[in-house]
Amino acid sequence: MRDIVEELRIQSYKSALHCIDEIVLFYADDGKIVNWNMQTVSELFYDKDDMSRITMQDLFSKQAAMFFEKGKQDARGKAVQMPVYRKNGTCFPAEVKHFIIGNEYAFGICIIKNIEELLLQQEKNRSLQEELNQARSAKDSFLANVTHELRTPLNGMKGMANLLLSGNLDSSQVDTVKTMMNCFDTMEKIVTDILDYSKLAAGKMEIEEHPFAFYPWVEDVMKVHRGLIENKNIAFESNVDSTIPSHLIGDSYHLTQVINNLFTNAIKFTTQGRIVFDIAVQSNVGNQWELLFSITDTGIGISKEKKEELFQSFVQGDPSITRKYGGTGLGLSICKKLVSLMGGTIQAESELHKGSRFYFTVPLTADTAIVEEKEPEVEKPHVIHEETKSLSLIKLMEQLALCIDFESYEKAEKIVHMIKDMTKGEQNEISKKAFRLELALRKSDTNKIKTQYLELCRTCNL
């Protein structure tokens, strides 16, 4: 009875062996093959008589055959890629493993997996990926070029509309021109979003850190949105930590862009209640300050199901939002990528019909080159010292000169934008000259760029 059970066990092992898709070979100490499965015959074209005569060395090249010598036991069980030769002399790429049975190397088991189709598929996938990358690159380049070209006539139309407002217009005409300006602003926001998205997708967006006066910058950011919030009869609150240094080093341009995007959403989706803007210190070690920015509203809110998709491209909380409120669905995706590039993280808390809170952290450095001046009142961050402004303007003009010399016009345009923000209001002439230089930069008109840059320098008394 015991012999019958043992025979059945052996037969079941043999049946299982023949069902395996890989080649399985049993070989003796001298490399002679003593047993094999059916896959060996179909893959290698050897019949039973052939298999009893060949050795492991006949299946592999001389170099690969060394793999099976006694002294190579350190490779046991490891997968090694090497060619395996058939009876007709052809070969195929294979993944080979071998195992030694017994401490004295009585015999070994070799498992051979044909990976020819796998490698062909990998090569095909590689080619497809290269084609996709080229197509994606062409698309991103097209988007960047088209949106850049759109901005030039758009800025021209905005400039003409501004000139119209300075003329003798009746109230009806003023309303019409203001409506035009609002349309231009909306179009510019969409064009900018698409341009930024294409740059981020192509990995061409760069973070440029520079010194800036923190409290005046905060006031400028709030000034842009305060009027819009009050026009909707929504309460506006702001809380700025007074321990934050008055002069920091960071990318204020992209920081403003993120905050503007979040403010725009809060204003768009809030019809009553309030909007709160907070800036707090998350952590501080030496000159390194991690700030926490948050914008809280009492707007329409977002459902739990949609919250996970918020920071994806072309996604909004509800499809009906696009129809009702407009927008590309790119704003939050751009915010997430920009914050990540600046070394921070962005998150959202929201409850449907109750409101939302978007908050993000960004690491900044205290500017020790400027003597720290204590702000007299946190409530009045708009106080700007002329000496500080002049120093910042000189630094920006120096950076601008370098960008123009090296024809880095995109960077130059960002710096001009910061100069405009810094000098608007009481230094209107500088702002006008900066605007003309900005138009020249967008057209990449070398002669006009140099002319307008010199005009700006003369106006700044530099």
Side-chain angles (χ1 to χ4, degrees), residues 62-112:
K62 290 182 179 179
Q63 186 178 2
M66 293 174 65
F67 177 73
F68 298 97
E69 292 180 8
K70 249 184 179 181
K72 302 295 180 181
Q73 294 184 20
D74 57 326
R76 66 176 69 182
K78 293 180 181 178
V80 179
Q81 286 191 16
M82 61 179 73
V84 176
Y85 289 83
R86 300 184 179 97
K87 181 181 178 180
N88 60 9
T90 62
C91 66
F92 59 87
E95 186 177 87
V96 180
K97 294 180 183 179
H98 89 116
F99 304 87
I100 305 302
I101 307 299
N103 294 329
E104 299 301 323
Y105 190 11
F107 67 93
I109 300 174
C110 180
I111 300 174
I112 302 172

Coordinates of all heavy atoms in Angstrom, one line a residue, residues 62-112:
K62 N 29.7 29.6 -23.8 CA 30.8 29.2 -22.9 C 30.8 30.0 -21.6 O 31.0 29.5 -20.5 CB 32.1 29.3 -23.6 CG 32.3 28.3 -24.7 CD 33.7 28.4 -25.3 CE 33.9 27.3 -26.4 NZ 35.2 27.4 -27.1
Q63 N 30.6 31.4 -21.8 CA 30.7 32.2 -20.6 C 29.5 32.0 -19.7 O 29.6 31.9 -18.5 CB 30.6 33.7 -21.1 CG 30.8 34.7 -19.9 CD 30.8 36.1 -20.4 OE1 30.6 36.4 -21.6 NE2 31.0 37.0 -19.5
A64 N 28.3 31.7 -20.3 CA 27.1 31.5 -19.4 C 27.2 30.1 -18.8 O 26.7 29.9 -17.7 CB 25.9 31.6 -20.3
A65 N 27.9 29.2 -19.5 CA 27.9 27.8 -18.9 C 28.7 27.8 -17.6 O 28.5 26.9 -16.8 CB 28.6 26.9 -19.9
M66 N 29.6 28.7 -17.4 CA 30.4 28.8 -16.2 C 29.4 29.0 -15.0 O 29.8 28.7 -13.8 CB 31.4 30.0 -16.2 CG 32.5 29.7 -17.3 SD 33.6 31.1 -17.4 CE 34.3 31.2 -15.8
F67 N 28.3 29.6 -15.3 CA 27.3 29.8 -14.2 C 26.9 28.6 -13.5 O 26.5 28.6 -12.3 CB 26.0 30.4 -14.9 CG 24.9 30.7 -14.0 CD1 24.9 31.7 -13.1 CD2 23.7 29.9 -14.1 CE1 23.8 32.0 -12.3 CE2 22.6 30.2 -13.3 CZ 22.7 31.2 -12.4
F68 N 27.0 27.4 -14.2 CA 26.6 26.2 -13.6 C 27.7 25.3 -13.0 O 27.5 24.2 -12.5 CB 25.9 25.3 -14.6 CG 24.6 26.0 -15.2 CD1 24.7 26.7 -16.3 CD2 23.5 25.9 -14.4 CE1 23.5 27.4 -16.8 CE2 22.3 26.6 -14.9 CZ 22.4 27.3 -16.1
E69 N 28.9 25.9 -13.0 CA 30.0 25.1 -12.4 C 29.9 25.1 -10.9 O 29.3 26.0 -10.3 CB 31.4 25.7 -12.8 CG 31.7 25.5 -14.3 CD 33.0 26.2 -14.7 OE1 33.7 26.6 -13.8 OE2 33.2 26.2 -15.9
K70 N 30.6 24.2 -10.3 CA 30.5 24.0 -8.8 C 30.8 25.3 -8.0 O 30.2 25.6 -7.1 CB 31.5 22.9 -8.4 CG 30.8 21.6 -7.9 CD 31.8 20.6 -7.4 CE 31.1 19.4 -7.0 NZ 32.0 18.4 -6.4
G71 N 31.8 26.0 -8.5 CA 32.3 27.1 -7.8 C 31.4 28.3 -7.8 O 31.6 29.4 -7.2
K72 N 30.3 28.3 -8.6 CA 29.4 29.4 -8.8 C 28.1 29.2 -8.0 O 27.1 29.7 -8.4 CB 29.0 29.5 -10.3 CG 30.2 29.7 -11.2 CD 30.9 31.0 -10.9 CE 32.1 31.2 -11.9 NZ 32.8 32.5 -11.6
Q73 N 28.2 28.6 -6.9 CA 27.0 28.4 -6.1 C 26.5 29.6 -5.4 O 25.4 29.6 -4.8 CB 27.3 27.3 -5.0 CG 27.6 25.9 -5.7 CD 27.8 24.8 -4.6 OE1 27.4 25.0 -3.5 NE2 28.4 23.7 -5.0
D74 N 27.3 30.7 -5.4 CA 26.8 32.0 -4.8 C 25.7 32.6 -5.6 O 25.0 33.4 -5.1 CB 28.0 33.0 -4.7 CG 28.6 33.3 -6.1 OD1 28.6 32.4 -6.9 OD2 29.0 34.4 -6.3
A75 N 25.5 32.1 -6.8 CA 24.4 32.7 -7.6 C 23.1 31.9 -7.6 O 22.2 32.1 -8.3 CB 24.9 32.8 -9.1
R76 N 23.1 30.8 -6.7 CA 21.9 29.9 -6.7 C 20.7 30.7 -6.3 O 20.6 31.5 -5.4 CB 22.2 28.8 -5.7 CG 22.3 29.3 -4.2 CD 22.4 28.1 -3.3 NE 23.7 27.4 -3.4 CZ 24.0 26.4 -2.7 NH1 23.2 25.8 -1.9 NH2 25.2 25.8 -2.9
G77 N 19.6 30.4 -7.1 CA 18.3 31.0 -6.9 C 18.1 32.4 -7.4 O 17.0 32.9 -7.4
K78 N 19.2 33.0 -7.9 CA 19.1 34.4 -8.4 C 18.8 34.3 -9.9 O 19.3 33.5 -10.6 CB 20.5 35.1 -8.2 CG 20.8 35.4 -6.8 CD 22.2 36.1 -6.7 CE 22.5 36.4 -5.2 NZ 23.9 37.0 -5.1
A79 N 17.9 35.3 -10.3 CA 17.5 35.3 -11.7 C 18.7 36.0 -12.5 O 19.1 37.1 -12.2 CB 16.2 36.1 -11.9
V80 N 19.1 35.3 -13.6 CA 20.2 35.9 -14.4 C 19.7 35.9 -15.9 O 19.1 34.8 -16.3 CB 21.5 35.1 -14.3 CG1 22.5 35.6 -15.2 CG2 22.0 35.1 -12.9
Q81 N 19.8 37.0 -16.6 CA 19.4 37.0 -18.0 C 20.6 36.6 -18.9 O 21.7 37.0 -18.8 CB 19.0 38.4 -18.4 CG 17.6 38.8 -17.9 CD 17.1 40.1 -18.5 OE1 17.5 40.5 -19.5 NE2 16.1 40.6 -17.8
M82 N 20.3 35.6 -19.8 CA 21.3 35.1 -20.7 C 20.6 34.4 -21.9 O 19.5 34.0 -21.8 CB 22.3 34.1 -20.0 CG 21.6 32.9 -19.4 SD 22.8 31.8 -18.6 CE 23.2 32.7 -17.1
P83 N 21.3 34.3 -23.0 CA 20.7 33.6 -24.1 C 20.7 32.0 -23.9 O 21.7 31.5 -23.4 CB 21.6 34.0 -25.3 CG 23.0 34.3 -24.7 CD 22.7 34.8 -23.3
V84 N 19.7 31.4 -24.4 CA 19.6 29.9 -24.4 C 19.5 29.4 -25.8 O 18.7 30.0 -26.6 CB 18.3 29.5 -23.6 CG1 18.2 28.0 -23.6 CG2 18.4 30.0 -22.1
Y85 N 20.2 28.4 -26.2 CA 20.3 27.9 -27.5 C 19.4 26.7 -27.8 O 19.4 25.8 -27.0 CB 21.8 27.6 -27.9 CG 22.6 28.8 -28.0 CD1 23.2 29.4 -26.9 CD2 22.8 29.4 -29.3 CE1 24.0 30.6 -27.0 CE2 23.6 30.6 -29.4 CZ 24.2 31.1 -28.3 OH 24.9 32.3 -28.4
R86 N 18.7 26.7 -28.9 CA 17.9 25.6 -29.3 C 18.7 24.6 -30.1 O 19.9 24.8 -30.5 CB 16.7 26.1 -30.2 CG 15.8 27.1 -29.5 CD 14.6 27.4 -30.4 NE 13.7 28.4 -29.7 CZ 13.7 29.7 -29.9 NH1 14.7 30.2 -30.7 NH2 12.9 30.5 -29.3
K87 N 18.1 23.5 -30.5 CA 18.7 22.4 -31.2 C 19.2 22.9 -32.6 O 20.2 22.5 -33.1 CB 17.8 21.2 -31.4 CG 18.4 20.1 -32.2 CD 17.4 18.9 -32.3 CE 18.1 17.8 -33.1 NZ 17.1 16.6 -33.2
N88 N 18.3 23.8 -33.2 CA 18.6 24.3 -34.6 C 19.6 25.5 -34.6 O 19.9 26.1 -35.7 CB 17.3 24.7 -35.3 CG 16.6 25.8 -34.5 OD1 17.1 26.4 -33.6 ND2 15.4 26.1 -35.0
G89 N 20.2 25.8 -33.5 CA 21.2 26.8 -33.4 C 20.7 28.2 -33.1 O 21.5 29.1 -32.9
T90 N 19.4 28.4 -33.2 CA 18.8 29.7 -32.8 C 18.8 29.9 -31.3 O 18.9 28.9 -30.6 CB 17.4 29.9 -33.4 OG1 16.6 28.9 -32.8 CG2 17.4 29.8 -34.9
C91 N 18.7 31.1 -30.9 CA 18.6 31.3 -29.4 C 17.5 32.3 -29.0 O 17.0 33.0 -29.9 CB 20.0 31.8 -28.9 SG 20.5 33.4 -29.5
F92 N 17.2 32.4 -27.8 CA 16.2 33.4 -27.3 C 16.7 33.9 -25.9 O 17.4 33.2 -25.2 CB 14.9 32.7 -27.2 CG 14.8 31.5 -26.3 CD1 14.5 31.7 -24.9 CD2 15.0 30.3 -26.7 CE1 14.5 30.6 -24.0 CE2 14.9 29.2 -25.9 CZ 14.7 29.3 -24.5
P93 N 16.4 35.1 -25.6 CA 16.7 35.7 -24.3 C 15.9 35.0 -23.2 O 14.7 34.8 -23.4 CB 16.4 37.2 -24.4 CG 15.3 37.2 -25.5 CD 15.6 36.1 -26.4
A94 N 16.5 34.7 -22.1 CA 15.8 34.0 -21.0 C 16.3 34.5 -19.7 O 17.3 35.1 -19.5 CB 16.1 32.5 -21.2
E95 N 15.4 34.3 -18.7 CA 15.7 34.6 -17.3 C 15.9 33.2 -16.7 O 15.0 32.3 -16.7 CB 14.5 35.3 -16.7 CG 14.8 35.7 -15.3 CD 13.6 36.5 -14.7 OE1 12.7 35.8 -14.1 OE2 13.5 37.7 -14.8
V96 N 17.1 33.0 -16.2 CA 17.5 31.6 -15.7 C 17.8 31.6 -14.2 O 18.4 32.5 -13.7 CB 18.8 31.2 -16.5 CG1 19.2 29.8 -16.0 CG2 18.6 31.2 -18.0
K97 N 17.2 30.6 -13.6 CA 17.5 30.4 -12.1 C 18.0 29.0 -12.0 O 17.5 28.1 -12.7 CB 16.2 30.6 -11.3 CG 15.7 32.0 -11.3 CD 14.5 32.1 -10.4 CE 13.8 33.5 -10.4 NZ 12.6 33.5 -9.6
H98 N 18.9 28.8 -11.0 CA 19.3 27.4 -10.7 C 19.4 27.2 -9.2 O 19.7 28.2 -8.5 CB 20.5 27.0 -11.5 CG 21.8 27.3 -10.8 ND1 22.6 26.3 -10.3 CD2 22.3 28.4 -10.4 CE1 23.7 26.8 -9.7 NE2 23.5 28.1 -9.7
F99 N 19.1 26.0 -8.8 CA 19.1 25.7 -7.3 C 19.9 24.4 -7.1 O 19.7 23.5 -7.9 CB 17.6 25.5 -6.8 CG 16.7 26.6 -7.1 CD1 16.0 26.7 -8.3 CD2 16.5 27.6 -6.1 CE1 15.2 27.8 -8.5 CE2 15.7 28.7 -6.4 CZ 15.0 28.8 -7.6
I100 N 20.7 24.4 -6.1 CA 21.5 23.2 -5.8 C 20.7 22.4 -4.7 O 20.3 22.9 -3.7 CB 22.9 23.6 -5.2 CG1 23.6 24.6 -6.2 CG2 23.7 22.4 -4.9 CD1 23.8 24.0 -7.6
I101 N 20.6 21.1 -5.0 CA 19.9 20.2 -4.1 C 20.9 19.4 -3.4 O 21.8 18.7 -4.0 CB 18.9 19.3 -4.9 CG1 18.0 20.0 -5.8 CG2 18.2 18.4 -3.9 CD1 17.1 21.0 -5.0
G102 N 20.9 19.5 -2.0 CA 21.9 18.8 -1.2 C 23.1 19.6 -1.0 O 23.6 20.4 -1.8
N103 N 23.7 19.4 0.2 CA 24.9 20.2 0.6 C 26.1 19.8 -0.2 O 27.0 20.6 -0.4 CB 25.2 19.9 2.1 CG 24.1 20.5 3.0 OD1 23.5 21.4 2.7 ND2 23.9 19.8 4.1
E104 N 26.2 18.6 -0.7 CA 27.4 18.2 -1.5 C 27.1 18.4 -3.0 O 27.9 17.8 -3.8 CB 27.7 16.7 -1.2 CG 28.0 16.5 0.3 CD 29.2 17.3 0.7 OE1 30.2 17.4 -0.1 OE2 29.2 17.8 1.9
Y105 N 26.2 19.1 -3.4 CA 25.9 19.4 -4.8 C 25.6 18.1 -5.5 O 26.3 17.7 -6.5 CB 27.0 20.2 -5.4 CG 26.8 20.7 -6.9 CD1 25.5 20.7 -7.4 CD2 27.8 21.2 -7.6 CE1 25.2 21.2 -8.7 CE2 27.6 21.7 -8.9 CZ 26.3 21.7 -9.4 OH 26.0 22.2 -10.7
A106 N 24.7 17.3 -5.1 CA 24.3 16.0 -5.7 C 23.7 16.3 -7.1 O 24.1 15.6 -8.1 CB 23.3 15.3 -4.8
F107 N 22.8 17.2 -7.2 CA 22.3 17.6 -8.5 C 21.6 19.0 -8.4 O 21.4 19.5 -7.3 CB 21.4 16.6 -9.1 CG 20.1 16.4 -8.4 CD1 18.9 17.2 -8.8 CD2 19.9 15.6 -7.3 CE1 17.8 17.1 -8.1 CE2 18.7 15.4 -6.6 CZ 17.6 16.2 -7.0
G108 N 21.3 19.6 -9.5 CA 20.7 20.9 -9.5 C 19.4 21.0 -10.3 O 19.1 20.1 -11.1
I109 N 18.6 22.0 -10.1 CA 17.4 22.3 -10.9 C 17.6 23.6 -11.6 O 18.0 24.6 -10.9 CB 16.2 22.3 -10.0 CG1 16.0 21.0 -9.2 CG2 14.9 22.6 -10.8 CD1 14.9 21.0 -8.2
C110 N 17.3 23.7 -12.8 CA 17.4 24.9 -13.6 C 16.0 25.2 -14.2 O 15.4 24.4 -14.8 CB 18.4 24.7 -14.8 SG 18.6 26.2 -15.8
I111 N 15.6 26.5 -13.9 CA 14.3 27.0 -14.5 C 14.6 28.1 -15.5 O 15.3 29.1 -15.1 CB 13.4 27.5 -13.3 CG1 13.1 26.4 -12.3 CG2 12.1 28.0 -13.9 CD1 12.4 26.8 -11.1
I112 N 14.1 27.9 -16.7 CA 14.4 28.8 -17.8 C 13.1 29.4 -18.2 O 12.2 28.7 -18.6 CB 15.1 28.1 -18.9 CG1 16.4 27.5 -18.5 CG2 15.3 29.1 -20.1 CD1 17.1 26.6 -19.5

